[in-house]
Amino acid sequence: MTKSPRARDIGLQFDGTPGPLNAITDVAGITVGFSTVIEDPIAGVHNGLCTGVTAIIPRGASGDIEPVWAGIHSFNGNGELTGSHHIKDLGWFMGPVMLTNSHSVGIVSHATVGWMIARYPEVFAKDHMWCLPVVGETYDGALNDINARGVTEAHALQSLNTAATGPVSEGNVGGGTGMITYEFKGGTGTASRRVEIAGKSYDLGVLVQANHGTRDWLEISGVPVGRLMRDDLVAPSDLGSIIVVIATDAPLLPHQLDRLARRGGLGIGRNGTKGGHSSGDIFLAFSTANPQKNPWYAPDIMLLEALKDTHLDPLFAAAVQATEEAVVNAMIAATDRIAVKPKGKVVRAIDHQRLMEVIRAYRRT
Amino acid sequence: MTKSPRARDIGLQFDGTPGPLNAITDVAGITVGFSTVIEDPIAGVHNGLCTGVTAIIPRGASGDIEPVWAGIHSFNGNGELTGSHHIKDLGWFMGPVMLTNSHSVGIVSHATVGWMIARYPEVFAKDHMWCLPVVGETYDGALNDINARGVTEAHALQSLNTAATGPVSEGNVGGGTGMITYEFKGGTGTASRRVEIAGKSYDLGVLVQANHGTRDWLEISGVPVGRLMRDDLVAPSDLGSIIVVIATDAPLLPHQLDRLARRGGLGIGRNGTKGGHSSGDIFLAFSTANPQKNPWYAPDIMLLEALKDTHLDPLFAAAVQATEEAVVNAMIAATDRIAVKPKGKVVRAIDHQRLMEVIRAYRRT
Amino acid sequence: MTKSPRARDIGLQFDGTPGPLNAITDVAGITVGFSTVIEDPIAGVHNGLCTGVTAIIPRGASGDIEPVWAGIHSFNGNGELTGSHHIKDLGWFMGPVMLTNSHSVGIVSHATVGWMIARYPEVFAKDHMWCLPVVGETYDGALNDINARGVTEAHALQSLNTAATGPVSEGNVGGGTGMITYEFKGGTGTASRRVEIAGKSYDLGVLVQANHGTRDWLEISGVPVGRLMRDDLVAPSDLGSIIVVIATDAPLLPHQLDRLARRGGLGIGRNGTKGGHSSGDIFLAFSTANPQKNPWYAPDIMLLEALKDTHLDPLFAAAVQATEEAVVNAMIAATDRIAVKPKGKVVRAIDHQRLMEVIRAYRRT
Amino acid sequence: MTKSPRARDIGLQFDGTPGPLNAITDVAGITVGFSTVIEDPIAGVHNGLCTGVTAIIPRGASGDIEPVWAGIHSFNGNGELTGSHHIKDLGWFMGPVMLTNSHSVGIVSHATVGWMIARYPEVFAKDHMWCLPVVGETYDGALNDINARGVTEAHALQSLNTAATGPVSEGNVGGGTGMITYEFKGGTGTASRRVEIAGKSYDLGVLVQANHGTRDWLEISGVPVGRLMRDDLVAPSDLGSIIVVIATDAPLLPHQLDRLARRGGLGIGRNGTKGGHSSGDIFLAFSTANPQKNPWYAPDIMLLEALKDTHLDPLFAAAVQATEEAVVNAMIAATDRIAVKPKGKVVRAIDHQRLMEVIRAYRRT
């Protein structure tokens, strides 16, 4: 993994208590892998690639095909997260969550089907099991020649095959490589929270692919940073998107996970977004608790644990907090990139020193 | 209860195996009560009342305040079923399901709040418990002076206080008193199915308040009855609605109950409806399994049973079959009424003998 | 109307440009009325009433029965807004939007049906028109003997019959009388924004009934006020709710209004809420543009204006900003109340002077 | 195109008046293309391919990139139709609707992105336009070695590049090649209706990829055909899916198209399905009326026509009728295939002569 500075490293503060890694991988069993695709222009082929693929495998550590219970919310539907009909109706999904650029959803989905079949040959060969991958996207056409469709099946497989537990790379990595956040360079970010509920400890982790917001909206720690840091503006309107993946080991039912997913909106709102029309803001929540066999092999009557409703608030707060921090982490870890459209435009990472001056001026450290 | 003929009594046949009562009360613990409001015109007060209230109390037999897990589907939203936000998000509701005419939803809701507070004084007095009743409606303005708002708080309480297990009245009774179905007199109908799943027996019961459809759409047992029985047509377009309440003792989670509720559409479709614009076709499904304390008093971690997905099909089929039969039962039990608007128009119950002649002519007995 | 101080009066600042009244009534044609019900305890009847009813009449100034196009979002469904099935499916509603306490939804709905029938006698008498009122609620059981069901039909009619254009009362008024916001006294609040889009000016107004949040979540102008003002805490968890009504004269279609409603979540998020489980956070958006006859009398083919998608962002931002300000206005206008449960507990309005000291200390003025 | 017998050719009757082609292409401007992929087994590569791709291009005749207004309903979410978030939120989509097998959604999506970029180079090259294709699927793993992922980008392009107006092939063609319907060979089917509304004539066309149902459920013309034709049963439970695409030139807004899509459930219900758990039953409706530039190039204020609500019933009925007929057409046109899993199992097309004997025996001709 690439070690980049994180928001807390430069002095930013957030509410709540993170897990040991402050990453989605604090939820036991989850692995994350990346394929980062950066290529100089090749005449007649593409004008420069700056993109990639992120793989989040909920049961990556065990390798089991067991589904995870899940919920979803499309706060702003100008985007894509495939697999949603299945999740909404059945309340679970199998296999990984893949994130990439808008024009690579198809090839990444194709690769994921192949990977699943190869990984669980006995299941797919023996039974009529189908695979409907979960693939999300945000648009990187400013920094990446997105129309060249440069992501390949091999890239997707690389992200899947390198997925690991432990610390998670951030910034210009994987699906987040070519992303822009509040007109600063953005990308992949992660964070986590550990909460105590009725004497038990639960982890909740978030991974975002952050590509949303206009500069004037940007707030960090309650400070209107975007109005105070006006250099290197990129575009006059919100053209991006954000995918928020929320994972937890707390035992939640699908309808509770729908509710948890919906809190993603409050999370991204904390950095000032107004949910611009052109942004696809889609949130997925899943729980690794209640491991069940695939429905075909599950017991006739499943026995599930579920936190009672009035215990949800710490998890709701954790989702909001970790989403907020993950977005800022994406920006803090990111590094400058030069655009392919408009050609030569520099998209700057946020200046850490200047940011902290602003934050301190408003006494928010 | 009023004993009226039922569809099977006159020779009609349906798929699936009903429970002992062929009624929603085959699901253990459910009680049903009615208040039927029929009054001659009173000058200056109303032009004639022909309406009422139906109360379905999921935990009526035990009297417990325990919620039931629930799901909902609004197939055609030109109607009302209050309490839906709560059911959709939390997956459960407390207290009864009330059915009445469109303009009496408010007073019935008001009465239900009072009834709940009086019934569970320690809960409402001690804690900050709130009550958001589930009240559905269909429009009876042809047979009832609906604008006189003749249903009172006392009527609603009567339906609640007389709710009982056992056989359920049908036709011109309770909320169904003034209803019209496929231009025949309609009303309240019920039916049930018993299914075996993995060695266990489950009951599923349906109660409908049927007020929908145009004559030419009507099919019974696959026969286009509505084209063959053309007397006493009422209105050229679908102005009605139907509320379908599906109850089961099978252990289903809220998201599974959403799916079950959605099958209500297939059920009403079997009698030929096209889902006319003016019809509010709203379906509620609940499970009496997994009794839980109110969330405030539930254990920190609830332990719930849930049928595995691939076992749902018998319940889906049961919901479709019981809904179809409940609609026909409503029509078979109903008796003629004279309209208040247009004044004097006779709304005839379907002629049993003529119906069976038609059915037999098409070899569907 | 009652003149109370507003957030801007005491020096707070917000983004965006308000309309002349900085109220929902900046949207031409809307009238707002209140019935405030405050009564000392009466032995054997109630332990003290502190509640009321708010009426927002979209076409109040003209008195027309014409529907308004509408959208809805249930961010947190632990609450009620009746009429939602109709709005979701048909995209419009007729008549007023009523707000009251949780246990008075029924009686207010009942009253509203009566008011509509009386107001448009020719429509309801002549045709089979039905009325399914839009009634929202939040819970005031701490300050009001909510189980006494003290709101009457007359109270609801009073709010409807006194509805007027012009400035709008805030704080302890109407449905907001007994509300608590972030553990300060809350209530009714309003605000508006005027935006320019493609050379035209549009108004967007918000009215909230704010009853949500825990103290530690509270932020104002980005400052963590709730951690700095710790006196007179009320309850350890979020037990409230908030209804957000967003009105505009911009020509938006129902699906666009759904999107606008969803931005209510970002709006309330700006003051720090995490969307606690017990809170019913439901948002309604409507547009007074494209006045249409009731569908029955509408032209065969309606001709509708609709802003193009990429012009929505100023309205989205306006909805977020006005919602944020309306919540703060509700708190600033509110005055202390003594609870009925727990009896004698004082719920304080936020101290304006102390608040501004905190805000200034963080340089946010 | 392949000329196969159709339901009406063998004497079956349906309600409503079809358009000239009784096909989705009766809606002016729509083109349909197929790529049918049938290959004998190749050792080490695949065990036999029997699959394909169907392309429906709403603005195929004009070639314009103009979006169509659209709505969607997921009756049973155990399937996939990508592009749904966009359709649900924005109410429109650009480009084709693609149908294929479950494991080829990704490659077909990938191909469609490439096709769109190549077809509209100035739009994608000049602006930051993104493409999120609409791709649906049903599972053909019994007749096709679905895990071999035999559909290629070239196949998808072939379906797009051969799309034409005029009659539409049915049965074992395109995405429907390997489908099974009520345990008979199924596949692609289409039908249409022409309706008169307020003096104007509108076309509504349906195309289905039918792969659903168990034999015992099957009804045709109200006759329980599936209980009377028991030869060559395939599987004991519903393992399939059905995608229903409903097109019309009637001017409908997105929320009205959502309602139209929902009627797909009544349409498939007419042949007896209970909506089995394993079936992904997803319905898409679009209107070619109100052609609008892509939102970026649309006028600031769009002017849209919309049929008034009370005129929707003929279209609702047309959607139900055409869906029913399209499913039967798929079965009538289909021809026998031999399964790859279980190897050698013959999946028979329904015997036309025997079917008509059954139908006539019940007097339904």
Side-chain angles (χ1 to χ4, degrees), chain B residues 96-109:
Chain B
V97 178
M98 308 295 286
L99 304 177
T100 187
N101 77 57
S102 310
H103 288 180
S104 297
V105 169
I107 196 69
V108 169
S109 174

Side-chain angles (χ1 to χ4, degrees), chain A residues 235-259:
Chain A
S237 70
D238 187 8
L239 292 176
S241 291
I242 180 165
I243 300 287
V244 178
V245 180
I246 303 170
T248 185
D249 57 6
L252 300 181
L253 299 179
H255 75 283
Q256 294 176 314
L257 289 159
D258 277 340
R259 301 182 76 188

Side-chain angles (χ1 to χ4, degrees), chain B residues 1-4 32 34 166-174 188-190 207 333:
Chain B
M1 67 131 335
T2 313
K3 182 71 189 122
S4 310
V32 176
F34 297 103
V168 173
S169 297
E170 294 177 304
N172 303 15
V173 65
T188 302
T190 190
L207 187 146

Side-chain angles (χ1 to χ4, degrees), chain B residues 15 75-76 219 222 224 227 259 262-263 265-266 270 273-277 309 313 316 361-364, chain D residues 15 73 75-76 219 222 224 227 259 262-263 265-266 270 273-277 309 313 316 361-364:
Chain B
D15 294 335
F75 173 73
N76 206 16
E219 295 174 358
R227 300 197 187 161
R259 300 182 77 188
R262 226 174 291 137
R263 269 66 189 173
L266 295 179
R270 294 191 65 75
T273 184
K274 304 297 176 289
H277 154 73
D309 288 357
D313 284 7
F316 288 171
Y362 284 80
R363 297 183 49 191
R364 294 304 298 272
Chain D
D15 294 335
H73 179 59
F75 173 73
N76 205 16
E219 296 174 357
R227 300 196 186 162
R259 302 182 76 188
R262 227 175 290 139
R263 269 64 191 174
L266 295 179
R270 293 191 64 75
T273 185
K274 304 297 177 287
H277 154 72
D309 287 358
D313 284 7
F316 287 171
Y362 284 79
R363 298 183 51 190
R364 293 304 299 271

